[in-house]
Structures are given as C-alpha cells and as structure tokens.
C-alpha cells in the first residue's frame, strides 16, 4: 500500500511542478526552488501523516478524483 501512496503523492507533485514550470519557465531559478520546497514539504507531510485516518482519507479522495477524471472528464 505504501508504494501506491507514494505514487499518488508523486503524481500530485508532478502536476504542481508542471504548473510552476509554465508560470516561471523551466529554467527559472524560482521554479526550481519552489519545486524543491514543495517536494520537501510533501515528504515531511507524508512522514508525519502516514498511518493516520486523515492521510488515508486524503489518499482515498485523491485516488477517486483522479480515476473519475481519467474515465469521464479527460478527452
């Protein structure tokens, strides 16, 4: 189950990184710093929230939302 949790968090990080790169440009120092900070925050959040009911709920909602998007909204 832990690999699935890390994959979902990694997917969120990737989506956020794409948004940041579009906003600031892929070679921007600001974009690189923001991406690194977000990765660190997500890692810290994962370590502290893993195993709690809140974390399981968040992952369930994110997994459901991404599945719904993939099957029904993405064209």
């Amino acid at each position: 189950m832990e690999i699935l949790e890390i994959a979902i968090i990694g997917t969120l990080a990737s989506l956020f990184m794409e948004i940041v790169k579009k906003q600031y440009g892929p070679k921007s120092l600001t974009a690189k710093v923001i991406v690194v900070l977000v990765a660190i925050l997500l890692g810290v959040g994962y370590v502290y929230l893993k195993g709690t009911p809140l974390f399981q709920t968040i992952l369930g909602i994110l997994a459901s939302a991404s599945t719904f998007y993939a099957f029904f909204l993405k064209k």
Side-chain angles (χ1 to χ4, degrees):
M1 182 70 169
E2 189 170 333
I3 291 179
L4 177 63
E5 294 167 355
I6 292 172
I8 292 172
I9 292 170
T11 301
L12 288 175
S14 296
L15 292 173
F16 182 77
M17 289 177 203
E18 287 300 317
I19 293 168
V20 169
K21 284 198 281 187
K22 285 181 183 178
Q23 178 97 15
Y24 295 102
K27 298 193 185 253
S28 166
L29 179 62
T30 304
K32 291 176 184 177
V33 169
I34 290 172
V35 166
V36 169
L37 289 175
V38 166
I40 291 170
L41 288 173
L42 284 172
V44 168
Y46 175 76
V47 168
Y48 285 109
L49 289 176
K50 129 177 124 166
T52 66
L54 176 63
F55 188 67
Q56 296 300 323
T57 303
I58 291 170
L59 284 179
I61 291 169
L62 291 173
S64 299
S66 64
T67 302
F68 181 81
Y69 175 79
F71 283 116
F72 298 109
L73 300 179
K74 189 175 179 183
K75 296 182 181 192

